[in-house]
Amino acid sequence: MIKLVEVSKKGEQYDPAIGLNKVTFGLREVFINPNMIVSMRADKALQEKNKKNRLFDNLNENVEFTTLTLNAGSSGKTITVVGSVYTVCERMGIRQ
């Protein structure tokens, strides 16, 4: 098992000033079995949102995010974690 930090949606609230739902995010520890990871990809959209609006007070604005697809039986489950694809690979003991 490897310990990563998962990005979670805390909730949505309608903001009449912008006429849209405003999403808030949180961070939490997650333990992943590396054998259950099917694929990984950089989450550039979340990275750009964080650069523009600082979604996380305790993270650097240049932090990278990775979306993991996990084997969950007949369907996959996706989660987003803090760190680049290369960082996650390093945590799993995979060298580039």
Side-chain angles (χ1 to χ4, degrees), residues 2-59:
I2 58 171
K3 181 172 83 170
L4 300 169
V5 177
E6 179 184 10
V7 175
S8 63
K9 276 188 182 178
K10 290 176 98 174
E12 294 184 31
Q13 186 173 351
Y14 183 74
D15 186 342
I18 59 174
L20 299 170
N21 283 345
K22 189 174 181 180
V23 179
T24 56
F25 295 92
L27 300 172
R28 61 185 175 204
E29 289 182 345
V30 63
F31 292 86
I32 303 289
N33 178 344
N35 296 325
M36 301 305 282
I37 298 174
V38 176
S39 68
M40 292 186 270
R41 67 180 178 281
D43 191 332
K44 298 290 185 187
L46 188 59
Q47 184 178 349
E48 288 302 315
K49 282 181 189 176
N50 187 53
K51 265 188 181 180
K52 288 181 185 177
N53 299 325
R54 292 300 305 256
L55 303 174
F56 309 96
D57 294 334
N58 52 344
L59 292 180

Side-chain angles (χ1 to χ4, degrees), residues 1-3 9 12 25-26 33 37 41 44 46 53 55 60-61 64 70 73-74 76-78 83 86 89-90 92 96:
M1 298 290 248
I2 58 171
K3 181 172 83 170
K9 276 188 182 178
E12 294 184 31
F25 295 92
N33 178 344
I37 298 174
R41 67 180 178 281
K44 298 290 185 187
L46 188 59
N53 299 325
L55 303 174
N60 181 303
E61 67 185 25
E64 295 181 46
L70 305 172
S74 62
K77 175 178 173 59
T78 59
Y86 299 104
C89 284
E90 259 181 28
M92 293 181 354
Q96 311 310 308

